[in-house]
Amino acid sequence: MIIIMKSSATEDQIDHVVRRVQELGFTPHVSRGVERTIIGVVGDERSLARSSFEVLDGVERVVRVLHPFKMASREWKQEDTVIHINGVTIGGGGLTIIAGPCSVESRSQLLETAHAVKEAGAHMLRGGAYKPRTSPYSFQGLGLKGLEILAEAKETYGLPVVTEVMSPDLVTLVAEYADMLQIGARNMQNFALLHAVGKVQRPVLLKRGMMSTIQELLMSAEYILSNGNMQVAVCERGIRTFETYTRNTTDINAIPALKQLTHLPVIGDPSHGTGKWDLVRPVARAMVAAGADGLIVEVHPRPEEALSDGAQSLRPENFARLVEEVKAVWEALRNVEAVPVTTP
Ligand code: PEP
Ligand code: MN
């Protein structure tokens, strides 16, 4: 439920509504816009009547949010959320490119990749230090050593870093090194982890589970938002279908659907979405054309030697082409007026 205050509402009237929300056992979330203040009611408000608030002084109207995700919904917040990370922005109309290896394998591998992706125009660096691998016998990541290498690359090339955190007890440590915390597809519904990243003030890149619906993705985002962390971007990284030619099936529908349903930035991952390096560039172009706010792309200087996801990793020169291509798509479409279609 959202309580929209009149533009003439006084501070006392706003405070009174906030106290009433608390008295009824809910958590108020106050957003102060230029025009008016909006108070979100956080909690299971199914039993709550709109009239509980409509009668209060200073209230203009009370709106029920129809979706089960509340704070993540466009009804809750109409304008796009923009995440600011050390001079880089995600959301709000730009195109943010995150690139780097699947895993941090060594200092020289990461520094070489960071240099190459920076030259090609990437805005942020990715690289896994803790890796969620299907097999316990596969490379599991360098752990703390990997975080230290990421910090060095960030320092050297000025690229903010995103890296995966797999368990709640590692959130504080990973947040010391990373500018953005990645929640991987396999952990999208690890609720203890979602709680933990909700409690830190670090932006989160939340990847869609490979067997999760768009609604489930947004419910997971809701966990993070409702725990107090508003800086969340959601990521379409392909889902599992009957198709086996590709590793996953990029759900291109999810990109415009998410843009309608949520104010959170939407990132596309054409690497995991396809699993094949030679499909990454065309699918990246499609994701940008569909309205993605950014991309996360796996790049390796020698994919044949990669310890994880070599088959879907681009060589630096192919990544440079990808950047040129997606920028061209973005430029071509930014001037096309997005006229809202209200009838079929
Ligand atoms: C990754 O980004 O390398 C990764 C493991 O992604 P996902 O969680 O989407 O499989
Ligand atoms: Mn990977």
Side-chain angles (χ1 to χ4, degrees):
M1 189 175 282
I2 303 168
I3 304 164
I4 301 162
M5 301 300 292
K6 290 180 179 156
S7 52
S8 59
T10 64
E11 278 305 312
D12 279 352
Q13 289 170 340
I14 294 170
D15 285 350
H16 184 234
V17 174
V18 165
R19 277 201 306 279
R20 191 76 194 115
V21 172
Q22 287 165 334
E23 279 162 15
L24 289 166
F26 296 88
T27 307
H29 183 266
V30 182
S31 335
R32 287 172 197 275
V34 193
E35 277 288 304
R36 61 190 74 232
T37 294
I38 293 175
I39 302 165
V41 180
V42 185
D44 184 358
E45 22 99 339
R46 280 173 300 183
S47 58
L48 203 56
R50 282 212 304 250
S51 55
S52 318
F53 301 108
E54 274 166 348
V55 295
L56 301 179
D57 288 342
V59 172
E60 184 174 290
R61 69 201 149 93
V62 177
V63 179
R64 269 198 194 281
V65 180
L66 297 174
H67 301 291
F69 45 89
K70 308 288 175 192
M71 300 178 78
S73 72
R74 276 272 180 212
E75 290 142 306
W76 187 278
K77 182 166 178 275
Q78 269 160 30
E79 63 292 359
D80 283 357
T81 285
V82 182
I83 299 176
H84 296 272
I85 308 175
N86 293 339
V88 173
T89 58
I90 306 179
L95 180 66
T96 311
I97 300 178
I98 308 169
C102 178
S103 304
V104 180
E105 299 169 359
S106 68
R107 180 172 176 272
S108 62
Q109 171 248 13
L110 189 72
L111 292 177
E112 186 181 351
T113 314
H115 176 72
V117 301
K118 167 100 185 185
E119 287 287 295
H123 306 102
M124 285 180 66
L125 178 65
R126 63 150 288 148
Y130 297 91
K131 293 302 303 177
R133 303 307 300 279
T134 303
S135 165
Y137 308 121
S138 300
F139 176 61
Q140 303 287 311
L142 297 181
L144 178 58
K145 182 75 198 146
L147 295 178
E148 287 167 359
I149 296 172
L150 282 166
E152 184 182 344
K154 168 187 164 167
E155 191 65 33
T156 310
Y157 296 107
L159 291 170
V161 158
V162 56
T163 195
E164 178 159 355
V165 57
M166 294 205 299
S167 66
D169 49 308
L170 284 173
V171 168
T172 315
L173 176 73
V174 177
E176 271 173 36
Y177 289 86
D179 299 285
M180 187 175 210
L181 304 172
Q182 176 171 321
I183 303 291
R186 292 156 191 79
N187 270 317
M188 190 203 84
Q189 286 188 322
N190 179 337
F191 299 112
L193 185 58
L194 299 175
H195 265 278
V197 296
K199 296 287 181 207
V200 288
Q201 289 309 317
R202 270 277 176 278
V204 175
L205 179 65
L206 175 66
K207 299 189 88 174
R208 178 178 181 183
M210 59 193 86
M211 286 160 288
S212 300
T213 64
I214 292 169
Q215 180 164 307
E216 285 162 346
L217 171 62
L218 292 174
M219 293 308 291
S220 290
E222 189 81 8
Y223 266 89
I224 306 172
L225 301 174
S226 62
N227 274 282
N229 187 350
M230 303 298 147
Q231 298 174 284
V232 179
V234 289
C235 177
E236 164 57 37
R237 48 77 73 209
I239 50 174
R240 195 166 271 192
T241 66
F242 58 79
E243 182 56 72
T244 53
Y245 179 69
T246 48
R247 181 179 180 187
N248 291 295
T249 298
T250 295
D251 179 8
I252 202 78
N253 303 355
I255 292 173
L258 284 164
K259 292 299 296 175
Q260 280 174 2
L261 292 168
T262 183
H263 51 85
L264 300 173
V266 177
I267 302 292
D269 176 348
S271 307
H272 295 86
T274 60
K276 286 179 147 71
W277 72 268
D278 51 349
L279 300 182
V280 170
R281 276 176 30 228
V283 172
R285 299 193 299 255
M287 286 172 151
V288 172
D293 295 292
L295 297 172
I296 182 163
V297 182
E298 289 186 339
V299 178
H300 196 289
R302 289 163 297 282
E304 61 285 359
E305 293 174 14
L307 298 182
S308 61
D309 290 353
Q312 66 193 35
S313 298
L314 295 184
R315 291 181 198 282
E317 53 273 27
N318 276 331
F319 173 66
R321 288 185 63 187
L322 177 148
V323 174
E324 292 301 312
E325 291 169 0
V326 297
K327 275 193 191 161
V329 171
W330 183 78
E331 285 289 342
L333 293 176
R334 66 190 281 199
N335 297 322
V336 177
E337 269 237 284
V339 182
V341 180
T342 48
T343 47

